[in-house]
């Protein structure tokens, strides 16, 4: 997969892909991440990427020409790859694991990081295929949002995570994770649940399932509607509900 990140602040995106799992994925050529400085696509002396809004009002708007030029250039450089152009902006559809999985199937992503008060609408109408928000809050720009999206997409690419981890992990099924423990067995008088040291794999799996169901029920009950619940799961949830009332 190839990912081009179009930004006026490439420095913000320098760090996140130089560490840990994403760094390894880049080194192993599982993904090619390319930071693209939007100012390189300006032609004026001041390398201007923004301008005043028509109709007046507060703030500056990102100009369309450099963005169109950048995207056209990046598309032409990877002619053979089908490309998806994504704008990171608070108005976009809410990002989630399902969208991460969809994007992980793509061959070439161009992500445009919005800045200032907004972006010329013609970028949206004629250039962008998908608009993504990472949550209902406003960042100073789309760079950190792009880093979040790239991180969650790249870890899904074949070969990046251990096979087992990607199928077992939380959100393959939309249940929250059960609690984890490591050594020491007793820490500040808090003991690891005995079932986890019992060696009984069936019981351990059942305990984990029940903890996941319980945490999801207490924190994000709406997620349970999307889970395939077994008869045992249903009995367990009934038990918790009764305890609560
Ligand atoms: N740019 C500013 N805020 C954003 C958000 N919440 N998601 C994506 N891009 C943004």
């Amino acid at each position: 997969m190839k990912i081009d990140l179009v930004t006026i602040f490439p420095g913000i995106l320098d760090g996140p892909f130089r560490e840990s799992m994403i760094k390894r994925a880049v080194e192993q050529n599982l993904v090619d991440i390319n930071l693209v400085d939007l100012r390189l696509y300006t032609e004026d002396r001041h390398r201007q990427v923004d301008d005043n809004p028509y109709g007046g009002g507060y703030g500056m708007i990102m100009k369309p020409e450099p963005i169109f030029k950048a995207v056209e250039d990046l598309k032409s450089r990877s002619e053979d790859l089908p490309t998806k152009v994504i704008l990171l902006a608070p108005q976009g559809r809410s990002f989630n694991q399902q969208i991460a999985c969809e994007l992980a199937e793509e061959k070439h992503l161009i992500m445009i990081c919005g800045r200032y008060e907004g972006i010329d609408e013609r970028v949206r109408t004629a250039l962008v295929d998908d608009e993504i928000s990472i949550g209902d809050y406003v960042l100073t720009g789309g760079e950190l949002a792009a880093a979040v999206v790239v991180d969650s997409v790249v870890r899904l690419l074949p070969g990046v995570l251990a096979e087992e981890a990607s199928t077992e992990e939380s959100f393959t099924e939309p249940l929250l994770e059960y609690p984890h423990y490591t050594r020491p067995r007793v820490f500040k008088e808090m003991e690891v649940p005995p079932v986890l040291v019992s060696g009984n794999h069936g019981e351990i799996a059942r305990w984990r399932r029940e903890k996941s169901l319980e945490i999801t029920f207490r924190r994000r009950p709406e997620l349970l509607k999307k889970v395939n619940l077994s008869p045992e799961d249903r009995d367990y949830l009934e038990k918790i509900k009764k305890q609560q009332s």
Side-chain angles (χ1 to χ4, degrees):
M1 175 188 265
K2 182 173 183 188
I3 304 176
D4 291 314
L5 295 149
V6 180
T7 168
I8 55 166
F9 294 119
I12 298 179
L13 289 167
D14 228 15
F17 311 129
R18 285 181 191 264
E19 302 284 346
S20 179
M21 206 181 277
I22 309 298
K23 174 185 166 183
R24 250 176 291 135
V26 170
E27 285 171 354
Q28 292 170 3
N29 288 326
L30 299 171
V31 62
D32 175 14
I33 301 175
N34 188 18
L35 302 184
V36 181
D37 186 346
L38 184 63
R39 289 191 200 275
L40 297 177
Y41 292 92
T42 54
E43 281 173 2
D44 62 305
R45 210 155 45 91
H46 301 290
R47 298 214 168 276
Q48 194 178 346
V49 289
D50 60 330
D51 209 336
N52 296 305
Y54 274 114
Y58 166 81
M60 299 293 272
I61 305 298
M62 288 181 90
K63 288 163 67 63
E65 307 97 305
I67 301 176
F68 271 77
K69 267 205 189 124
V71 169
E72 281 157 14
D73 180 43
L74 296 168
K75 278 186 175 174
S76 74
R77 283 175 198 229
S78 47
E79 243 170 80
D80 45 333
L81 296 179
T83 300
K84 185 159 197 176
V85 180
I86 297 171
L87 173 66
L88 283 308
Q91 298 89 333
R93 61 176 174 146
S94 289
F95 190 61
N96 59 27
Q97 189 66 16
Q98 195 196 321
I99 300 176
C101 293
E102 281 167 34
L103 296 181
E105 301 290 320
E106 298 286 337
K107 295 281 172 255
H108 182 204
L109 299 175
I110 299 179
M111 298 199 182
I112 303 168
C113 306
R115 277 270 147 186
Y116 306 112
E117 287 317 297
I119 198 156
D120 189 286
E121 189 63 17
R122 289 161 293 191
V123 172
R124 279 202 178 86
T125 24
L127 202 60
V128 164
D129 302 310
D130 195 0
E131 194 169 340
I132 288 176
S133 160
I134 61 160
D136 289 338
Y137 42 83
V138 182
L139 302 164
T140 55
E143 285 78 6
L144 295 176
V148 167
V149 172
V150 170
D151 189 282
S152 59
V153 169
V154 169
R155 68 189 282 286
L156 295 174
L157 298 178
V160 176
L161 272 190
E163 184 88 23
E164 216 178 305
S166 51
T167 47
E168 213 185 75
E169 73 177 9
S170 157
F171 277 110
T172 316
E173 201 174 33
L175 279 179
L176 302 182
E177 278 266 312
Y178 51 79
H180 299 280
Y181 295 87
T182 185
R183 277 184 284 212
R185 190 163 165 184
V186 182
F187 175 67
K188 292 187 185 284
E189 293 175 24
M190 293 177 283
E191 203 171 329
V192 172
V195 60
L196 296 180
V197 291
S198 68
N200 184 330
H201 296 294
E203 273 185 28
I204 292 171
R206 191 65 225 154
W207 181 87
R208 288 178 166 165
R209 178 80 181 171
E210 288 179 354
K211 287 293 169 193
S212 275
L213 289 167
E214 184 175 350
I215 292 166
T216 310
F217 171 72
R218 296 199 193 289
R219 296 189 186 171
R220 299 285 306 278
E222 78 282 4
L223 293 178
L224 287 172
K225 290 189 202 107
K226 298 180 205 152
V227 179
N228 252 334
L229 295 171
S230 69
E232 284 120 310
D233 292 341
R234 288 180 197 283
D235 288 349
Y236 184 71
L237 285 168
E238 279 309 312
K239 202 169 98 188
I240 300 176
K241 282 181 203 166
K242 273 195 198 126
Q243 275 171 8
Q244 197 166 267
S245 54

